[in-house]
Amino acid sequence: MSRIAVLGAGSWGTTLAIHLAANRHQVALWGRDRNEIGRIDATRENAKFLPGIPLPEQVKVRAELEPAIEGAEIVVYAVPSQAIREISSRASAAGASGIPVCVAKGLEHGTLARMSEVLAATLQDRHSVVLTGPSHAEEVSRGIPTSVVSASDDAARAETVQAAFNSARFRVYTNDDVIGCEIGGALKNVIAIAAGVCDGIGFGDNTKGALLTRGLAEIARLGVSLGARRETFFGLAGMGDLIATAMSRHSRNRAVGERLGRGETLDHVLASMTMVAEGVHTARAARDMGRRQGVELPITDQVCAVLFEGRAPREALQSLMTRDPKRED
């Protein structure tokens, strides 16, 4: 049994708190919205993000950060990627000393930093753990079998997190390719937006199959340029997460793309959402990272054009189809 703090009371943070409590850990769940945290504690349910799923008594809901992280051997950062720097800085100032585990998937806008790099800067800890893979909160919270990856360059920490999270319905593998796991988890959200655009336009399975295949090649190309292993992208953090996110009815990023494909504006789509679609922020950062690395990312470029430059979705897809012919490899 471990003392574990989960920072972030959205759908994923709440799900992980429930899961960890079922694994017999002492869990503290903290969120920034004091009113919402008060409601969760009073009703023992996160009705906003995870309706119908009761919060077990073993999960202690905290409105203050210091009591949440006090004595925690593992601290899970379950806030959106663009908030990781702020929350981890606050946790550091409050004395967080447990193994940092990041479950956010994205690249920091402006710095282009991966989440483990942000944690290294704010916590002065270069050996955080990345927990990633195909894992929709809506399914994990209902006990649907799921497999993920605990990635760290510190094997002992990766195994500690594996042991804490692993269960009969939540299988955890370890991996030491942190770069590959993070790039796979971040960019799959961008490709999922493109997949949703295909759905919104009304294209079929042929289009989706081609898009995901070339999208995976694009993700791997960028990852390898940063030092990742190519084979990582054919595992859970790459292919597995991409398939789940680009195909699922639970995927916020795919849903954003579908609505854009049907003609809605990005501002209208985002204004109507209660949860964050990480791919919107990551798309621009990934595009800039590709340019910095000298790596071609044609799908990411077109997603950015649709999101931020007013390009028509059909025109973006046509641009991809009419690129110069070349060898697949």
Side-chain angles (χ1 to χ4, degrees), residues 19-35:
H19 170 71
L20 289 163
N23 275 7
R24 302 184 181 279
H25 299 295
Q26 298 178 29
V27 183
L29 175 65
W30 173 87
R32 289 188 291 182
D33 187 330
R34 298 178 69 89
N35 292 331

Side-chain angles (χ1 to χ4, degrees), residues 180-309:
C181 289
E182 287 191 288
I183 292 298
L187 267 70
K188 58 91 181 180
N189 286 326
V190 180
I191 305 303
I193 292 175
V197 169
C198 291
D199 291 336
I201 291 174
F203 291 158
D205 296 337
N206 291 353
T207 313
K208 185 79 73 71
L211 179 75
L212 297 191
T213 303
R214 297 311 304 163
L216 185 61
E218 185 167 306
I219 294 169
R221 206 158 46 234
L222 179 61
V224 169
S225 79
L226 294 165
R229 296 193 300 267
R230 185 174 298 276
E231 57 267 28
T232 298
F233 300 100
F234 299 97
L236 290 167
M239 181 186 295
D241 211 359
L242 175 60
I243 292 171
T245 307
M247 304 294 288
S248 176
R249 67 188 184 281
H250 299 308
S251 170
R252 299 186 290 275
N253 294 283
R254 192 207 62 79
V256 166
E258 182 174 6
R259 293 174 66 179
L260 292 172
R262 290 176 177 170
E264 295 185 51
T265 66
L266 179 62
D267 287 344
H268 181 263
V269 172
L270 296 183
S272 68
M273 297 177 67
T274 57
M275 292 186 279
V276 175
E278 293 277 24
V280 174
H281 291 292
T282 297
R284 192 161 7 210
R287 180 197 62 190
D288 294 346
M289 183 178 282
R291 291 174 178 173
R292 185 189 71 187
Q293 296 295 118
V295 174
E296 201 174 18
L297 304 176
I299 298 173
T300 299
D301 287 343
Q302 292 303 322
V303 168
C304 284
V306 171
L307 290 175
F308 310 120
E309 299 166 16

